């Protein structure tokens, strides 16, 4: 607490160092102009995620949200997984209260329905969605583009809930050198280093290093388990951009990640790894990524994109071993052709996934031989963006994929933008999404017994049908713009793929769910910069996500999908380059994974995770920042069931355990880290 007191005093000193005259800045002050240019909801940024090609945001028929790296710097974190909580309707969900692994939910849908792209490439998926997200440092990010709703007609499987595209920095325009060092009162230490160097006159490279170290153990709720997963992580990123004739594009990037993660009983040491005396969850991750883009030297605009990633996992959950490897190769070529008021796109794709693990999920039918999953997925797509006058734009798209289990899968798409003037834009998107079976993402934790995995011959791909209506209204107020961004959405899911572990004790039978699912709701974002140097962004979302089975009239609410949630971000900038940022998220009650006769409530309470930061920048390129995280000091109660008996040795004790509870780590719905201070320093050489 002494460290938090120090940060609070420093924060107060920086804020008070500004005299009251700074509150009376004129509306046309250069500072306000700078604020206006740096607004998060940029008026006419260039986007690529909605239609795979660069287009101004105002002309795109697909609603795409843009968040720059400056936005995420308002709440400094060591990884994208934590930062992305600042986006309304996007929730990083912790799935384990011990090892703190998680995934990203869009509009209440589970992680496997969200596609994570890096520079448009499907680098993060399946195994790495759970274990690799926390290894993406903020230092790589130029901006993040978000499309909510199915995008399978353009991006294929796994894009049923939405797409998050992480656009990395361009080596040609990156700073020559930058460094960012941050520490917290919980001894979380993060270092970002980046340098740029030219390779002749026509090429440049950016080399980035991220190191995160958190090894101090905390147990403030006294359950003898670490409140936060300890991590020792290093990520090295190297990207090359090339100048070519007629502004043709070419880039290539490599990244390596290593992480040693642990959560468990406080007295655990590495000598206990895999043992049954002291419980610990220990995860070693090795990951290599390569991806690039090349525009052909032709008169026509033809592009080839490629990516490859190798992910090696070695984990122990107590005395249960889970080791796995995943290799994903992706190749895509597309042709962009403009004909009068039509902008055409034709493309072919091929994706090959190799997955092998230590569970029966990758065993042959005889239960002895190993049979890794090898899943090729080939596809073609076509898209036409049609401008009809100055007010109407239509987009028609179609994709055909072929999978060896599901065979042909069709994904049509329709979008319409109506903009009567520069201040109003109405966008309607209608489309379908699909997801093919993936043994890991279905239920890897359950694949622990000697069972034969059976995939039904007539297994159908999961399908979704979506409608999304978005209205963007820019309201001039004095010399500023007040922006209202409203969306309503409805998604209907069929053929959900589930694993049946009960019909036959010797088998895991993957079949389609007899029933349907629905995700519906609306979201509102308000963005404004006042004539004095105050700006705010506030978002609110309402969700109703549920499943309904054919043999039941009752609907079952989706786990970890709060009815109400939202984000808030307020920034005040003083005249002497001091800024104060107050931001956070709030969540209404969400259904939690309880057990029979659970003494814990089925729904979480309303809570908010708030942060405050004070920063000061200098003309020399230095910036100092400090603040407090989890300002309201919220943590969930009883996130682990029976933490005193993690190996379930005393489950059958009728006196001490009449309800036959077992050790369970899935109830946690928010981080266990309490209020803590942080302090950091940055330097950038242009």
């Amino acid at each position: 607490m002494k460290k938090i007191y120090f940060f609070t005093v420093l924060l107060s000193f920086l804020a008070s160092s500004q005299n009251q005259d700074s509150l009376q800045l004129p509306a046309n002050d250069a500072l306000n102009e700078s604020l206006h240019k740096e607004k998060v909801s940029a008026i006419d940024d260039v986007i690529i995620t909605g239609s795979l090609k660069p287009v101004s945001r105002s002309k795109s028929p697909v609603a795409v949200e843009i968040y720059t790296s400056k936005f995420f710097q308002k709440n400094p974190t060591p990884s994208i997984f934590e930062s992305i909580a600042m986006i309304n309707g996007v929730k990083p969900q912790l799935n384990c209260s011990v090892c703190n692994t998680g995934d990203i939910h869009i509009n209440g849908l589970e992680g496997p329905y969200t596609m994570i792209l890096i520079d448009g490439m499907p680098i993060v998926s399946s195994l790495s969605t759970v274990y690799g997200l926390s290894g993406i440092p903020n230092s790589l990010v130029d901006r993040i583009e978000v499309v909510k709703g199915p995008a399978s007609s353009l991006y294929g499987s796994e894009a049923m809930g939405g797409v998050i595209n992480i656009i990395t920095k361009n080596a040609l325009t990156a700073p020559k050198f930058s460094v960012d060092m941050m520490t917290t009162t919980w001894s979380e230490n993060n270092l970002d280093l980046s340098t740029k160097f030219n390779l002749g006159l026509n090429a440049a490279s950016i080399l980035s290093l991220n190191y995160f170290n958190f090894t101090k153990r905390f147990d403030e709720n006294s359950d003898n388990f670490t409140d936060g997963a300890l991590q020792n992580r290093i990520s090295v990123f190297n990207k090359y951009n090339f100048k070519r004739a007629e502004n043709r594009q070419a880039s290539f990037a490599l990244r390596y990640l290593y992480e040693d993660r642990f959560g468990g009983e406080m007295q655990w040491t590495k000598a206990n790894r895999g043992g049954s005396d002291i419980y610990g969850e220990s995860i070693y991750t090795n990951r290599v990524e390569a991806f690039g883009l090349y525009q052909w030297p032709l008169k026509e605009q033809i592009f080839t994109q490629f990516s490859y990633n190798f992910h090696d996992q070695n984990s122990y959950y107590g005395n249960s071993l889970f080791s796995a490897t995943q290799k994903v190769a992706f190749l895509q070529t597309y042709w962009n052709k403009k004909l009068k008021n039509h902008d055409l796109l034709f493309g072919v794709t091929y994706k090959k996934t190799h997955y092998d693990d230590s569970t029966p999920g990758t065993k042959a039918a005889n239960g002895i031989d190993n049979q890794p999953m090898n899943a090729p997925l080939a596809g073609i797509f076509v898209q036409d963006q049609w401008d009809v006058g100055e007010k109407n734009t239509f987009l028609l798209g179609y994709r055909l994929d072929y999978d060896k289990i599901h065979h042909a899968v069709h994904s049509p798409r329709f979008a319409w933008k109506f903009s009567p003037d520069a201040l109003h834009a109405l966008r309607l998107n209608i489309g379908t999404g699909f997801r093919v079976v993936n043994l890991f993402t279905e239920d890897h934790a359950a694949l622990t017994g000697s069972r034969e995995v059976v995939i039904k011959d007539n297994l159908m791909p999961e399908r979704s049908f979506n409608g999304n209506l978005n209205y963007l209204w820019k309201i001039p107020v004095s010399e500023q713009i007040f922006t209202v961004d409203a969306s309503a959405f409805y998604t209907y899911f069929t053929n959900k793929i589930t694993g049946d572990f009960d019909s036959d004790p010797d088998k895991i039978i993957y079949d389609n769910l007899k029933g349907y699912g629905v995700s519906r709701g609306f979201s509102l974002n308000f963005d404004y910069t006042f004539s004095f140097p105050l700006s705010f962004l506030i978002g609110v979302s309402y969700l109703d996500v549920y499943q309904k089975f054919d043999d039941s009239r009752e609907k079952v609410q989706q786990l970890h999908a709060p009815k109400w949630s939202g984000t808030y971000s307020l920034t005040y900038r003083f005249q002497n380059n001091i800024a104060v940022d107050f931001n956070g998220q709030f969540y209404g009650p969400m259904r939690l994974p309880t057990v029979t006769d659970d003494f814990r409530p089925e729904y979480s309470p309303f809570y908010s995770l708030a942060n405050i930061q004070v920063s000061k920048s200098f003309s020399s390129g230095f910036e100092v920042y400090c603040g407090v995280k989890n300002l309201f000091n919220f943590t969930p109660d009883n996130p682990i069931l029976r933490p005193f008996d993690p190996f379930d040795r005393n489950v059958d004790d009728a006196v001490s355990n009449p309800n036959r509870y077992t050790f369970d780590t899935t109830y946690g719905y928010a981080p266990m880290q309490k209020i803590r201070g942080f302090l950091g320093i940055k330097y950038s050489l242009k």
Side-chain angles (χ1 to χ4, degrees):
M1 295 303 293
K2 290 182 179 179
K3 291 183 180 180
I4 294 179
Y5 175 75
F6 164 74
F7 288 130
T8 305
V9 171
L10 181 59
L11 184 153
S12 301
F13 171 75
L14 289 173
S16 63
S17 65
Q18 171 62 38
N19 60 51
Q20 294 300 314
D21 294 338
S22 66
L23 301 179
Q24 307 299 325
L25 293 176
N28 61 353
D29 189 274
L31 178 60
N32 285 317
E33 182 180 354
S34 175
L35 276 170
H36 186 68
K37 290 180 179 179
E38 292 180 4
K39 288 175 61 178
V40 175
S41 299
I43 294 177
D44 205 23
D45 286 329
V46 173
I47 58 176
I48 61 173
T49 307
S51 57
L52 204 63
K53 59 185 183 296
V55 61
S56 66
R57 188 185 184 201
S58 63
K59 295 184 179 297
S60 171
V62 179
V64 181
E65 298 179 19
I66 309 169
Y67 299 89
T68 67
S69 59
K70 290 184 179 295
F71 173 68
F72 296 109
Q73 290 169 8
K74 298 174 187 289
N75 177 32
T77 64
S79 73
I80 288 298
F81 180 76
E82 299 173 57
S83 295
I84 212 162
M86 298 176 67
I87 301 176
N88 183 29
V90 179
K91 184 177 187 294
Q93 176 59 48
L94 294 177
N95 295 325
C96 176
S97 298
V98 177
C99 62
N100 295 160
T101 52
D103 51 26
I104 294 178
H105 296 197
I106 294 181
N107 289 341
L109 297 175
E110 297 166 296
Y113 298 94
T114 299
M115 172 167 275
I116 311 293
L117 305 172
I118 299 182
D119 287 349
M121 293 288 92
I123 297 294
V124 183
S125 62
S126 302
L127 183 61
S128 57
T129 299
V130 177
Y131 295 105
L133 278 173
S134 61
I136 302 176
N138 288 314
S139 59
L140 300 184
V141 178
D142 178 67
R143 69 185 188 276
I144 292 180
E145 299 179 0
V146 180
V147 176
K148 298 174 182 176
S152 293
S153 63
L154 201 59
Y155 293 103
S157 181
E158 299 178 26
M160 289 185 74
V163 173
I164 297 174
N165 193 3
I166 301 168
I167 311 297
T168 62
K169 294 178 180 178
N170 189 319
L172 296 171
T173 57
K176 293 181 180 178
F177 176 77
S178 64
V179 60
D180 186 351
M181 296 180 290
M182 184 182 75
T183 186
T184 74
T185 54
W186 271 48
S187 298
E188 300 163 287
N189 302 302
N190 188 71
L191 171 65
D192 282 323
L193 281 173
S194 178
T195 183
K196 166 195 171 179
F197 48 91
N198 294 320
L199 303 171
L201 298 176
N202 298 317
S205 176
I206 182 172
L207 180 63
S208 175
L209 169 70
N210 170 256
Y211 178 66
F212 179 70
N213 180 273
F214 172 42
T215 56
K216 188 174 180 179
R217 305 186 185 196
F218 290 84
D219 180 25
E220 297 192 8
N221 66 343
S222 302
D223 62 358
N224 196 41
F225 271 72
T226 52
D227 290 342
L230 309 186
Q231 300 169 56
N232 192 25
R233 180 175 68 240
I234 186 169
S235 174
V236 181
F237 177 75
N238 190 201
K239 183 177 182 179
Y240 298 84
N241 288 91
F242 303 91
K243 290 183 180 179
R244 302 176 60 210
E246 300 182 13
N247 292 321
R248 293 190 179 98
Q249 301 178 52
S251 64
F252 177 71
L254 289 165
R255 188 169 78 101
Y256 171 73
L257 167 73
Y258 171 78
E259 183 182 71
D260 179 358
R261 176 187 291 255
F262 158 74
E265 294 189 87
M266 293 291 288
Q267 68 273 28
W268 186 92
T269 67
K270 288 193 180 293
N272 302 117
R273 192 174 195 264
S276 56
D277 296 325
I278 300 175
Y279 188 87
E281 298 188 357
S282 174
I283 303 168
Y284 298 153
T285 300
N286 277 282
R287 181 171 176 80
V288 178
E289 302 167 354
F291 53 95
L293 167 69
Y294 180 75
Q295 183 177 356
W296 293 18
L298 302 172
K299 182 179 179 180
E300 299 293 338
Q301 292 190 340
I302 301 177
F303 302 82
T304 293
Q305 293 175 295
F306 56 91
S307 69
Y308 175 82
N309 66 79
F310 171 81
H311 190 108
D312 179 74
Q313 197 75 39
N314 183 282
S315 311
Y316 270 101
Y317 302 92
N319 56 0
S320 297
L321 171 66
F322 175 73
S323 63
T325 57
Q326 178 176 276
K327 305 171 188 176
V328 181
F330 178 81
L331 182 65
Q332 175 171 276
T333 295
Y334 61 92
W335 174 32
N336 186 198
K337 180 69 174 178
K338 294 184 179 181
L339 295 173
K340 294 184 179 180
N341 56 345
H342 291 269
D343 196 341
L344 302 172
L345 196 71
F346 306 91
V348 294
T349 68
Y350 181 79
K351 182 179 180 181
K352 178 69 176 294
T353 301
H354 172 93
Y355 175 74
D356 192 12
D357 65 25
S358 57
T359 74
T362 54
K363 292 293 185 183
N366 59 17
I368 300 175
D369 298 329
N370 193 43
Q371 187 176 340
M373 181 186 76
N374 287 288
L377 186 65
I380 59 173
F381 60 88
V382 60
Q383 179 177 279
D384 178 17
Q385 184 170 313
W386 177 25
D387 293 325
V388 183
E390 296 182 355
K391 298 181 179 180
N392 292 278
T393 300
F394 294 92
L395 185 146
L396 301 172
Y398 173 76
R399 183 183 182 102
L400 173 65
D401 285 272
Y402 187 85
D403 175 75
K404 68 178 183 180
I405 296 176
H406 305 298
H407 305 303
V409 183
H410 307 270
S411 299
R413 178 191 198 188
F414 170 79
W416 168 54
K417 182 184 77 71
F418 173 68
S419 184
D421 53 48
L423 300 178
H424 301 269
L426 182 69
R427 292 176 171 88
L428 173 66
N429 283 253
I430 299 174
T432 66
F434 76 94
R435 188 167 73 96
V436 300
V437 64
N438 184 303
L439 295 180
F440 178 82
T441 57
E442 309 315 321
D443 198 344
H444 82 277
L447 304 178
T448 57
S450 298
R451 295 187 174 210
E452 175 189 351
V453 175
V454 177
I455 298 177
K456 290 282 190 177
D457 292 335
N458 58 348
L459 188 68
M460 301 295 292
E462 289 190 38
R463 299 305 304 257
S464 67
F465 305 88
N466 171 266
N468 186 303
L469 185 65
N470 174 262
Y471 176 57
L472 183 66
W473 183 17
K474 304 169 187 174
I475 308 171
V477 179
S478 184
E479 297 183 8
Q480 309 297 325
I481 296 290
F482 179 71
T483 304
V484 179
D485 192 338
S487 293
F489 58 90
Y490 184 94
T491 307
Y492 182 90
F493 294 88
T494 62
N495 301 330
K496 183 175 175 62
I497 299 170
T498 60
D500 177 5
F501 301 88
D502 301 320
S503 298
D504 189 327
D506 297 321
K507 296 180 179 180
I508 303 172
I509 304 172
Y510 284 105
D511 201 356
N512 295 117
L513 178 71
K514 303 302 186 291
Y516 63 89
V518 169
S519 170
R520 59 186 180 182
F522 64 84
S523 66
L524 293 169
N525 286 311
F526 304 95
D527 179 15
Y528 185 60
T529 298
F530 291 91
S531 57
F532 55 95
L534 173 68
S535 62
F536 73 84
L537 175 64
I538 298 176
V540 178
S541 291
Y542 171 79
L543 299 174
D544 185 21
V545 186
Y546 63 88
Q547 292 180 358
K548 199 167 184 180
F549 304 95
D550 289 345
D551 56 354
S552 173
R553 296 183 179 180
E554 295 184 1
K555 61 182 184 181
V556 179
Q557 292 294 139
Q558 175 67 47
L559 294 171
H560 298 120
K563 290 279 189 181
W564 291 97
S565 64
T567 59
Y568 49 90
S569 177
L570 291 88
T571 298
Y572 192 94
R573 298 204 176 192
F574 296 91
Q575 197 170 21
N576 57 354
N577 294 323
I578 291 179
V580 178
D581 297 295
F582 176 70
N583 52 68
Q585 312 86 42
F586 66 85
Y587 301 101
M590 68 183 85
R591 181 170 166 260
L592 302 173
T594 55
V595 300
T596 304
D597 297 321
D598 203 324
F599 65 91
R600 302 169 298 179
E602 185 180 4
Y603 284 83
S604 65
F606 174 92
Y607 69 96
S608 178
L609 301 175
N611 316 284
I612 190 168
Q613 173 185 253
V614 174
S615 59
K616 178 174 176 58
S617 57
F618 301 87
S619 58
S620 60
F622 280 95
E623 180 179 339
V624 179
Y625 58 94
C626 66
V628 178
K629 290 182 176 291
N630 196 4
L631 193 61
F632 303 140
N633 201 28
F634 175 81
T635 55
D637 295 326
N638 302 302
I640 301 175
L641 187 62
R642 287 179 64 82
F644 51 85
D645 188 21
F647 292 100
D648 291 332
R649 292 192 176 98
N650 300 309
V651 169
D652 297 324
D653 189 333
V655 176
S656 64
N657 190 21
N659 294 310
R660 294 183 57 82
Y661 294 146
T662 59
F663 177 70
D664 184 74
T665 67
T666 61
Y667 185 82
Y669 51 90
M672 286 299 300
Q673 292 177 292
K674 292 190 174 184
I675 185 172
R676 60 202 186 279
F678 63 91
L679 174 65
I681 184 170
K682 300 177 186 176
Y683 174 73
S684 180
L685 177 64
K686 300 296 184 181

